[in-house]
Amino acid sequence: MNLTLEAPRLTAHDRCDRCGAQAYVKVLLEAGGELMFCGHHARAHQDALQGVAAEVIDETERLHLKPEPVED
């Protein structure tokens, strides 16, 4: 399994396949296809995914970022 640090950003339109919350983790499967998870479900399924993941795009660090002020 490869961990991708610089990856395309997941957006608010990307939803967790388990619960529908905003996805912060995208798992590209070795067999093809992808799964998306919120931070909670990514951690919950982490062990099971290690054997089938070709790549993991993890943007959970964004959960702890403070929003930047918008300038007019």
Side-chain angles (χ1 to χ4, degrees):
M1 175 173 68
N2 296 326
L3 180 64
T4 302
L5 299 176
E6 296 295 326
R9 289 184 71 82
L10 297 170
T11 70
H13 295 287
D14 296 314
R15 309 311 287 178
C16 176
D17 290 326
R18 180 73 173 110
C19 69
Q22 183 174 346
Y24 288 92
V25 177
K26 182 184 218 179
V27 180
L28 303 175
L29 303 171
E30 288 181 2
E34 66 186 30
L35 296 170
M36 295 202 188
F37 294 103
C38 63
H40 166 79
H41 285 113
R43 286 187 302 276
H45 298 290
Q46 182 177 6
D47 292 339
L49 292 169
Q50 285 187 7
V52 296
E55 185 176 8
V56 176
I57 300 167
D58 185 346
E59 296 185 2
T60 54
E61 75 280 352
R62 291 177 37 214
L63 291 167
H64 304 289
L65 296 176
K66 293 185 181 192
E68 294 181 22
V70 178
E71 295 183 25
D72 291 329

